[in-house]
Each structure stands twice: as C-alpha cells, then as structure tokens.
Amino acid sequence: MAWIYCVLWIFLLQITNSKAYEETEWRSGRAPHFQSNGSYKILNRFVKPFISRRVMESPIVFPDLTSRSGSDFALQIPEECRRLGICEDIPNYPEDIVYNVIQQIERDNKTKFNRDVLEPPQIAERIGPEEETIDLCVSSERIFVPKVAQDVNKDWYIIVNDKQKPRQTFRVEICKGGESASCSSIAFFQKGYEAKCIQKYVLRNMIALDDQNEVIERPFQVPSCCSCVARVV
C-alpha cells in the first residue's frame, strides 16, 4: 500500500513543478510553447525592427523642398561623399529650410542633438614614452558636421545641421588613400594572402528630413575606423 502513496506523491510533485516552471517563464517574458510530446520549447521575446521615429507630431511641409520620390528635386552628392557615404557640404543644401526646422525643434524641445567632441590627450600621454603600438593603416580622426548621409539601405537623407553653429557633430576616423590603400609594410602575411586597409562604419542616430519632408530620427552610417584586413588571393 505504501508504494501506491509513493507513486501518487511523485505524480503530484511533477505536476506542481511543471506549473511553477510555466508560471516562471511567463513572468520572465518568455512564453513557453507546449509541444505534442509533452515538453516545452522556450520562445524568445519578439524584438521589433527599427522604425524611424518622427520628431514632431505633425509633418512640416516645405513648398521649396518637394518629395524626393517622383519629383525633379535631387540631392547633388559629390563623388568623394558618395564613396564615403556621408558629406559635410552639397551645392543644393536647403539652408533656409533647415534653419527653420532647427528653430522649431529647439523651440518645441522635442529632442536633443548629438554633439561629439575630440578629447585632447592627457598630459601624461603627451610627455610619456613613444607609443608601443603601431597602426597598420594611415587614417585621420576629426569631428564631422554632416549635411547629408546614407542609411543602411544606401538612401540619402538631408541631415538637419548648421555650419556656422553646428547642431549635430560626430567623431569620424577616415582611411587615407581610399579603399585601395595598403597596410603597413611591417605587417607580414603568409603567401596566398593579400592585405589592404578598409573603411569601417557604425550606426549613429541623426535628426534628418525624410522623402516626405518630415523631421525624423534614424540611424545613419558614420566612418568609425580604418582596419587592416587580409583575404585569400
């Protein structure tokens, strides 16, 4: 008779543990999916893809800046900027329109502009011993004040900015010599490999005008570093 009570006790214990496990998973945000074999499969919480955030509640319509889709208006992007994917100046940048946008954004206080700065080296670094590490690629680092930029889909957008009083600034590191630049000669690679310096990017949020003339905030590609990479030849 004792063995019957023992079996019943084990059966009740399993049911209790199963209920407690299910409740724990629901509380943690991971909904358990019950399968036909009686086991549970944990499903990861759904993550929403990035969607452009509209900065202002109502769209701003600019009669002088028609929609880029289906119109004659086209951004005049210099060749060097097309190669880099970001630009500090273009011939037909709508200065007056962007100035009005800046005034309205700052008046409504809906968002904050990003401002990167280059920190000067510490005194100990300036008077200390020579650097022990050597960069394999030659690059330049500076603060960029973009007027237009490409997103991950390679679409160009007008970036809300002011050259006289920059609102959005970003630290960039750009390869010198372009994509065909060779790595330093001190780097040795085995036979069958070829090395070169390539430009790498990061995504940074910027305030921009979309193709419907609305002020939005979305990520754009910013040159972040120059990296020496090798490939099989």
Side-chain angles (χ1 to χ4, degrees), residues 114-159:
N114 179 84
R115 292 185 177 91
D116 286 354
V117 295
L118 286 180
E119 296 184 0
Q122 300 297 320
I123 295 179
E125 295 178 356
R126 293 198 298 265
I127 64 176
E130 186 177 350
E131 288 285 344
E132 296 180 358
T133 59
I134 300 176
D135 290 331
L136 297 181
C137 294
V138 180
S139 64
S140 61
E141 181 183 6
R142 66 186 183 89
I143 292 297
F144 217 77
V145 184
K147 293 291 188 68
V148 292
Q150 276 186 330
D151 65 0
V152 293
N153 299 318
K154 303 299 182 182
D155 294 326
W156 288 93
Y157 288 80
I158 295 172
I159 306 302

Side-chain angles (χ1 to χ4, degrees), residues 10-206:
I10 293 175
F11 177 73
L12 292 174
L13 182 61
Q14 289 178 339
I15 293 177
T16 302
N17 289 338
S18 176
K19 293 292 185 181
Y21 173 79
E22 182 177 354
E23 182 179 356
T24 300
E25 293 304 313
W26 277 108
R27 288 180 177 178
S28 64
R30 298 178 298 177
H33 179 67
F34 186 74
Q35 297 181 334
S36 58
N37 61 2
S39 62
Y40 283 91
K41 179 181 179 181
I42 305 302
L43 301 179
N44 291 330
R45 181 180 297 174
F46 175 73
V47 179
K48 293 182 179 179
F50 177 84
I51 301 175
S52 297
R53 183 175 73 87
R54 183 183 295 178
V55 174
M56 299 182 181
E57 295 298 330
S58 58
I60 303 177
V61 179
F62 305 111
D64 297 330
L65 181 61
T66 56
S67 173
R68 292 197 298 272
S69 58
S71 71
D72 294 332
F73 181 86
L75 296 174
Q76 299 175 16
I77 312 297
E79 189 58 36
E80 176 65 18
C81 296
R82 291 185 181 278
R83 183 187 66 81
L84 197 59
I86 193 170
C87 196
E88 284 192 301
D89 195 21
I90 60 172
N92 61 339
Y93 186 78
E95 299 278 357
D96 295 339
I97 294 171
V98 172
Y99 174 80
N100 292 332
V101 172
I102 292 174
Q103 297 304 308
Q104 183 166 346
I105 290 176
E106 293 180 339
R107 182 173 60 251
D108 296 342
N109 197 25
K110 293 290 186 180
T111 188
K112 291 184 178 180
F113 292 116
N114 179 84
R115 292 185 177 91
D116 286 354
V117 295
L118 286 180
E119 296 184 0
Q122 300 297 320
I123 295 179
E125 295 178 356
R126 293 198 298 265
I127 64 176
E130 186 177 350
E131 288 285 344
E132 296 180 358
T133 59
I134 300 176
D135 290 331
L136 297 181
C137 294
V138 180
S139 64
S140 61
E141 181 183 6
R142 66 186 183 89
I143 292 297
F144 217 77
V145 184
K147 293 291 188 68
V148 292
Q150 276 186 330
D151 65 0
V152 293
N153 299 318
K154 303 299 182 182
D155 294 326
W156 288 93
Y157 288 80
I158 295 172
I159 306 302
V160 176
N161 229 328
D162 185 349
K163 189 173 183 179
Q164 301 301 323
K165 186 180 178 182
R167 295 315 201 278
Q168 301 187 83
T169 60
F170 300 88
R171 174 206 167 273
V172 301
E173 183 179 331
I174 301 174
C175 292
K176 289 187 176 180
E179 293 289 337
S180 60
S182 301
C183 299
S184 172
S185 59
I186 66 172
F188 173 78
F189 295 89
Q190 294 182 355
K191 186 178 180 180
Y193 289 87
E194 180 184 71
K196 68 174 184 177
C197 296
I198 64 168
Q199 184 69 60
K200 292 197 172 183
Y201 297 80
V202 293
L203 292 177
R204 300 289 302 275
N205 277 2
M206 301 184 192

Side-chain angles (χ1 to χ4, degrees), residues 1-13:
M1 197 66 179
W3 68 271
I4 296 178
Y5 286 110
C6 183
V7 171
L8 289 174
W9 181 81
I10 293 175
F11 177 73
L12 292 174
L13 182 61

